[in-house]
């Protein structure tokens, strides 16, 4: 149950690596966050910019801003591919004209072709990313573009956001 059947590291003395040993190795190989991630995050949050999303990708052992944009969710989703791990931060608007509010969505993406060890690293890396990207209404873990359909994302944001104005009440 709690054992990986192949050797994960050449430094390992035995053929089996437990999950605890695996997590210890993961913590030792932490990624770094590029300084521009903080700026892009603040840009998306700002009411004074047109930036609606940021796409974060891996470059070697660093998470960097891969792209930003002023479109919506579908524009961001175009950047996620099945062979990569990535993150997204998206600004959406809920409510009607009288009560429009900015809400934020944090997305962790692990494509279907990502190797198991890289998939395992996402949980520790994601915690690191969330030290900068702190404020969001919902978090979505996606492995396929169908996990990021606009209707379901917006429904989840509205549900997390409390009051639902503009429904004719």
């Amino acid at each position: 149950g709690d054992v990986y059947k192949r050797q994960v590291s050449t430094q390992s003395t035995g053929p089996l690596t437990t999950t605890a040993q695996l997590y210890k190795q993961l913590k030792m190989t932490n990624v770094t966050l590029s300084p521009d991630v903080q700026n892009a995050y603040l840009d998306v949050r700002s009411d004074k910019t047109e930036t609606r999303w940021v796409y974060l990708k891996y470059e070697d052992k660093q998470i960097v801003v891969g792209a930003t944009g002023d479109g919506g969710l579908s524009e961001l989703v175009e950047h996620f591919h099945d062979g990569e791990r990535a993150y997204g931060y998206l600004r959406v608007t809920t409510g009607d004209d009288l009560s429009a509010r900015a809400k934020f969505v944090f997305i962790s993406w692990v494509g279907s072709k990502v190797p198991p060890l890289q998939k395992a690293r996402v949980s520790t890396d994601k915690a690191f990313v969330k030290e900068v990207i702190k404020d969001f209404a919902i978090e979505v873990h996606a492995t396929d573009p169908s996990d990021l359909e606009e209707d379901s994302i917006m429904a989840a944001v509205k549900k997390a956001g409390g009051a639902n104005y503009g429904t004719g009440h």
Side-chain angles (χ1 to χ4, degrees):
D2 196 19
V3 174
Y4 287 88
K5 291 199 166 55
R6 64 181 173 80
Q7 202 168 344
V8 176
S9 167
T10 53
Q11 297 171 347
S12 181
T13 53
L16 301 176
T17 302
T18 67
T19 303
Q21 289 170 323
L22 181 62
Y23 281 117
K24 189 175 180 186
Q25 288 176 357
L26 292 178
K27 285 184 177 161
M28 294 186 326
T29 58
N30 245 351
V31 297
T32 58
L33 224 53
S34 169
D36 62 349
V37 171
Q38 172 84 24
N39 294 334
Y41 165 72
L42 294 173
D43 212 26
V44 172
R45 290 197 58 81
S46 173
D47 293 332
K48 294 181 173 90
T49 69
E50 295 295 314
T51 308
R52 311 246 325 148
W53 57 263
V54 59
Y55 158 77
L56 305 177
K57 65 179 187 173
Y58 287 81
E59 270 183 12
D60 298 316
K61 289 193 176 199
Q62 189 170 46
I63 296 172
V64 301
V65 174
T68 59
D70 58 8
L73 176 63
S74 59
E75 187 179 78
L76 170 59
V77 170
E78 289 174 14
H79 291 274
F80 296 127
H81 301 288
D82 59 4
E84 71 169 358
R85 303 165 294 155
Y87 305 92
Y89 188 64
L90 171 71
R91 178 189 189 100
V92 296
T93 304
T94 61
D96 58 21
D97 291 341
L98 297 174
S99 64
R101 283 200 179 118
K103 299 284 183 179
F104 300 90
V105 179
F106 177 68
I107 300 165
S108 58
W109 170 268
V110 180
S112 57
K113 295 182 179 170
V114 172
L117 188 60
Q118 286 187 1
K119 281 182 185 174
R121 280 199 178 112
V122 167
S123 61
T124 50
D125 292 353
K126 179 170 61 172
F128 193 55
V129 173
K130 285 161 69 174
E131 288 178 17
V132 171
I133 296 182
K134 296 177 180 179
D135 297 312
F136 45 89
I138 64 165
E139 178 177 345
V140 180
H141 178 72
T143 58
D144 186 83
S146 66
D147 296 334
L148 297 170
E149 290 176 351
E150 190 123 14
D151 290 347
S152 59
I153 297 288
M154 290 307 295
V157 168
K158 284 177 185 162
K159 187 175 177 185
N164 190 6
Y165 300 108
T167 58
H169 294 298

